[in-house]
């Protein structure tokens, strides 16, 4: 059977540690609790602007770091493809097989792409985000 009583605001929920925050008529209701009462509306707007600026800065740092990691993974893949295709082209040339196309061309394309990725990473700098 379920309990049909209405839940009051001051009753703790299951798993709550302490009593509910007082919600009297003298308390500002920001929806964030009494600890986030910044006083006047001007102070609240300033606090929200600071919070948004900090959040944006954290997002930029995370985006920059993930972009560098992704670029390094792409560079590693392109370096491996360049090495593997070049080795295949050299082996094919030694056997007298077709070595220029596809392995030679693929090695050249991957090498150029590798240089472009490395140049972009170095040009963008450590904290710039596109």
């Amino acid at each position: 059977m379920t309990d049909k009583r209405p839940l009051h605001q001051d009753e703790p929920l299951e798993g709550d540690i302490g009593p509910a925050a007082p919600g009297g008529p003298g308390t500002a209701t920001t929806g964030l609790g009494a600890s986030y009462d910044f006083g006047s509306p001007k102070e609240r707007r300033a606090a929200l602007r600071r919070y948004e600026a900090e959040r944006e800065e954290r997002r930029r740092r995370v985006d920059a770091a993930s972009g560098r990691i992704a670029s390094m993974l792409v560079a590693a893949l392109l370096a491996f493809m360049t090495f593997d295709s070049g080795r295949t082209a050299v082996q094919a040339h030694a056997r007298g097989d077709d070595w220029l196309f596809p392995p030679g061309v693929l090695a050249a394309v991957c090498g150029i792409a590798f240089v472009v990725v490395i140049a972009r990473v170095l040009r963008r700098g450590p904290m710039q985000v596109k």
Side-chain angles (χ1 to χ4, degrees), residues 61-76 117 121 124:
R61 282 195 313 262
V62 168
D63 285 352
S66 63
R68 284 191 302 270
I69 290 169
S71 296
M72 289 299 125
L73 289 174
V74 166
V117 167
V121 168
R124 286 173 65 183

Side-chain angles (χ1 to χ4, degrees), residues 80-95 99 103-104 107:
F80 172 73
M81 290 293 293
T82 302
F83 170 75
D84 189 50
S85 297
R87 185 180 52 139
T88 303
V90 168
Q91 288 174 351
H93 183 64
R95 286 189 311 242
W99 63 274

Side-chain angles (χ1 to χ4, degrees), residues 78 81-90 92-93 97-114:
L78 287 170
M81 290 293 293
T82 302
F83 170 75
D84 189 50
S85 297
R87 185 180 52 139
T88 303
V90 168
H93 183 64
D97 293 339
D98 291 334
W99 63 274
L100 188 58
F101 184 80
V105 172
L106 185 60
V109 168
C110 288
I112 291 170
F114 174 74

Side-chain angles (χ1 to χ4, degrees), residues 12-18:
L13 297 174
E14 185 179 329
D16 278 352
I17 295 175

